[in-house]
Structure formats: structure tokens, C-alpha cells
Amino acid sequence: MTMTSKERARTALHGGIPDKVPLGDFSIDADTVSRILGHPTYVRAKARSQIALWEGRRDEVVQNLIEDTIALFRKLDCYDMINLCAMTLGLVPPKGYQPEAPRRIDDVTWEYDDGRILKYSEITADITLVYDPEEWTRPISPEDYPLDWTYKPPDPSVFELVDAVIDAFGEDRFIIGPYPLANEWVQLGTMQRTLFEMAERPELVDRAVQSSMALAKVQQAHWPTRALDAVMDGTDFGFKSGTFMSPKMWWRFCYPPLAANVEAAHNAGLLFIQHACGNNWGILDGFMRAGVDAYQSVQTTATMEIAKVKEYVQGKLAVWGGVQVEHLVDGTAEEVRQDVRLAMERVKPGGGFVLGSTHSIAVGTRYDNFMAMLDEFDKLRDY
């Protein structure tokens, strides 16, 4: 029996065997989107979108996101899953949005009045904070993290992109979209400052975690209903050789919000997908105990070989990946095809599998490699 994309993805994420292996990715970055559509785009153009928003061009950005996201997935009709939980895709700034704009120093550097410096990264095509003069001196206290929150409804215009994509594809495609979630790794400033506070003032971090969970609970109780299929959290817990913190710290500070997020999503009728790059062997049991439905971005180069991960989880969650992002960016078309073949041979049997990149169709992906992935996948996806 032929399934719709929605049925196919849902079956796989529940651990079953669909008619075909579903295809999905965390995101497709702007250079590939532009090549597919034949014109520049704001879709996953992280720096370009940020600059446009600084310049007060919110409506231009949002209209382009709507038009090009719909056009992209009409062309890529082989994609069963559309993720609206990635940067530039999802909730958009409200109408009239005018953020604080930093002063431009040169082509790749900006500075805020308080001395914070931002730089453009060619590797990721986004703009990131590289210097904060108050990183270690900015006071942090329990009062910064309230436990009682008052619900503030979002401006309806923030749903413009989500609603447009649901209108275009909601009946057929599997739509992953925004839903209020607690921060699974609460940041108390920079990552370095946060890790320091986790070691030196764990009670303060506990308070920040409880505050985030309390806010999410209030938002969830009032969240406007949307015809979504799943929600995805995008917290990276690890790098290539292990997690950024000890597993013991992860269980204390990150597991409670993860478990609460899964429970809230399931209560809302949504599947829960965890995007987590890096070596997560030390915390993978936590994903399963929390009830995560699928683990996306299973990173081969961080020893998370997807067939081994599938064997380890024994059907307790679905696995999503298989095509090394490093091969898409720096490899050959044959290496990409071999990734697809290996995934289909070793991970496809028994279901519970979604094919995609081990991260995303990232900046710098060679177009011929992307096309090779789609071509080889089409040959082998049938069960």
C-alpha cells in the first residue's frame, strides 16, 4: 500500500516499517536552496537574514521565506518531512519588529554599544558573538530566574511562515514545527560561563532550569493549536569525543527539561525529535528513558555510527541520518552514494529509520553530491 509522506514518516518514527524509507533533513542551507530555485534566498541565509532584520526589512524577509520555502519543497517532492524548527525557519519576528542593531566595523565585524563584538563566519554563514567584555563579571543571581510566570500571548504574525507551510503541505507532508519547550541546556551567558557555574554554583543552575521549565509549562497551557506532527529540540550536548559536560552533570541539569519536553509534546499529540550533534554515547540512555521518539543528526564522525546506534537502542527510538555531512561538503559523489547504500543495507531493515544528513545540507555542500544523495536514495528507498 502506498503511503502519504505523513503516514510514511509517522510509521518510521513509531519504529515501524513504512512502504518506503522517509527522507528528511534538519535544514537545507541557503547556497543549496538558491541553486535549486535559481535565485538568492533568505531560507537558511542566516547572516543575510540577520542583516536584513537589523535594517528593518522584516516583511521582505518573511515574504521571501514563505515563497521560497514552499517553492523549495514543491521541487523537492521526495522529501517527506519539513522541519520548521531550524534557524530562520519557524516562528518569525512580529510585524513592526526592529531589533537593536550593532555598529558595523568592517565587512565581517559588528559591535554593540556595550562592547560585545560579533563576527561573520564563512564556515557556517552566520553571525556569532565572539567577545563579551562582561562574560565573567556580569552578575547572575537566583532572582534572574523567576518561578512564577505570566502568560504573554505571541503576536499572531509570528506564525505567518508556519501557517503558510501548513496550508501548502499539511495534508500530505510530515510537518515538524514550533512548540514551547524548556531549554534543555540553560545558558547563563556564554557556554564557558555556563559550564563554570554548573561546577561552582550548581544550585543557581538548578534554579535556572526550574525557571525555564516553569515558563514552558505556562506557555504550553495556552499555546495556539497548529496542525503539526512533531516538534524538534536542537540542543547540541557533545563534540566529537564526548559530551561538553560529564554525564552526571547532564542527568542533573539537562535530563529534567528533556523529559518534561517529551511529556508535554506527547500530551499535545506531537512526536518529539532530538537533534543533538556530537558523541552522545554517554547520555543515549537518557534519550530513551525520556521517551524521545527519534534521534536526528546521528554523527558518524563522532563515533555515533548509525547502525550501531540502532542496534543499541533496540527500537526504543527511531534513528535519522546516514549520509555524512562531511562527505556532502568535502567528499565525492561516489562517497555520498556509498553512504546511502550502507545506510540502506545496514539500517533500513526492520524500519524505525529516516534517511538524511548526519547534520544538515550544510553551507558548502556540493550540489552534485546533494543530487547524488537524492538519486541513490530514490533507487533504494522501497521496502
Side-chain angles (χ1 to χ4, degrees):
M1 180 184 72
T2 300
M3 294 180 169
T4 66
S5 288
K6 188 184 294 288
E7 293 168 338
R8 184 174 301 129
R10 186 170 287 275
T11 298
L13 295 182
H14 278 297
I17 302 176
D19 62 335
K20 304 172 185 285
V21 174
L23 177 65
D25 272 301
F26 176 72
S27 63
I28 303 174
D29 278 350
D31 51 348
T32 299
V33 177
S34 296
R35 180 72 183 270
I36 293 170
L37 297 182
H39 59 255
T41 184
Y42 284 116
V43 174
R44 287 289 290 176
K46 293 165 281 187
R48 183 169 182 255
S49 298
Q50 181 60 74
I51 293 168
L53 293 174
W54 283 338
E55 294 174 350
R57 294 185 281 129
R58 179 267 180 200
D59 289 351
E60 172 191 328
V61 171
V62 173
Q63 186 59 35
N64 178 264
L65 288 174
I66 291 170
E67 293 174 358
D68 282 4
T69 301
I70 292 173
L72 173 68
F73 286 102
R74 282 182 175 153
K75 283 182 174 288
L76 295 178
D77 57 0
C78 56
Y79 267 79
D80 299 286
M81 307 166 81
I82 301 174
N83 179 31
L84 299 177
C85 294
M87 187 184 297
T88 84
L89 292 176
L91 299 182
V92 297
K95 281 189 174 295
Y97 177 70
Q98 185 58 62
E100 176 190 3
R103 176 175 61 91
R104 191 161 198 162
I105 297 175
D106 56 37
D107 288 347
V108 296
T109 312
W110 294 259
E111 183 178 11
Y112 283 108
D113 291 342
D114 63 5
R116 287 174 295 150
I117 294 177
L118 310 172
K119 277 192 175 291
Y120 171 75
S121 166
E122 289 190 4
I123 296 174
T124 58
D126 62 4
I127 298 170
T128 59
L129 179 71
V130 296
Y131 174 68
D132 180 354
E134 297 183 81
E135 176 181 5
W136 297 103
T137 59
R138 185 174 292 109
I140 305 174
S141 69
E143 289 69 32
D144 296 323
Y145 303 99
L147 300 180
D148 294 323
W149 292 92
T150 300
Y151 177 68
K152 297 179 180 179
D155 187 296
S157 62
V158 304
F159 294 102
E160 287 181 358
L161 172 61
V162 172
D163 287 344
V165 173
I166 289 173
D167 287 345
F169 300 113
E171 291 188 7
D172 174 63
R173 308 283 185 102
F174 187 90
I175 309 294
I176 306 163
Y179 183 73
L181 298 175
N183 291 325
E184 293 184 3
W185 183 5
V186 173
Q187 298 293 308
L188 285 69
T190 63
M191 181 188 293
Q192 293 89 335
R193 176 77 184 266
T194 300
L195 289 168
F196 174 84
E197 300 293 355
M198 290 167 72
E200 294 295 319
R201 293 199 289 174
E203 295 80 9
L204 174 63
V205 181
D206 286 335
R207 169 76 178 227
V209 171
Q210 292 301 316
S211 177
S212 177
M213 292 171 63
L215 174 59
K217 190 172 183 178
V218 169
Q219 292 173 326
Q220 291 157 2
H222 300 278
W223 194 246
T225 301
R226 290 295 187 283
L228 300 170
D229 299 290
V231 63
M232 180 185 291
D233 176 84
T235 304
D236 291 334
F237 300 112
F239 52 100
K240 284 192 175 182
S241 61
T243 48
F244 290 112
M245 67 198 82
S246 70
K248 182 178 179 180
M249 279 190 168
W250 184 88
W251 279 96
R252 175 170 179 172
F253 300 121
C254 301
Y255 178 78
L258 168 60
N261 286 341
V262 175
E263 181 180 10
H266 288 172
N267 288 342
L270 303 171
L271 295 179
F272 186 91
I273 301 163
Q274 184 66 53
H275 168 100
C277 300
N279 183 326
N280 294 304
W281 283 115
I283 60 175
L284 190 53
D285 285 345
F287 291 3
M288 291 186 283
R289 184 181 299 181
V292 169
D293 294 295
Y295 171 19
Q296 193 272 333
S297 70
V298 182
Q299 187 179 343
T300 306
T301 54
T303 78
M304 305 296 293
E305 204 283 315
I306 192 168
K308 293 180 180 178
V309 173
K310 184 178 181 183
E311 180 181 7
Y312 183 84
V313 300
Q314 296 183 334
K316 293 180 181 177
L317 52 75
V319 292
W320 179 350
V323 181
Q324 294 187 46
V325 64
E326 295 85 356
H327 286 165
L328 288 164
V329 173
D330 292 321
T332 65
E334 180 54 33
E335 286 176 315
V336 171
R337 289 181 183 275
Q338 180 65 12
D339 283 348
V340 176
R341 289 194 289 266
L342 283 174
M344 293 302 194
E345 175 186 336
R346 301 180 63 192
V347 193
K348 172 184 173 182
F353 168 55
V354 177
L355 187 99
S357 165
T358 55
H359 182 273
S360 63
I361 307 303
V363 173
T365 291
R366 295 177 180 176
Y367 188 71
D368 289 347
N369 289 354
F370 180 58
M371 290 296 109
M373 181 186 83
L374 300 184
D375 179 63
E376 198 68 22
F377 167 74
D378 186 62
K379 296 175 183 177
L380 303 171
R381 69 181 303 191
D382 289 353
Y383 275 97

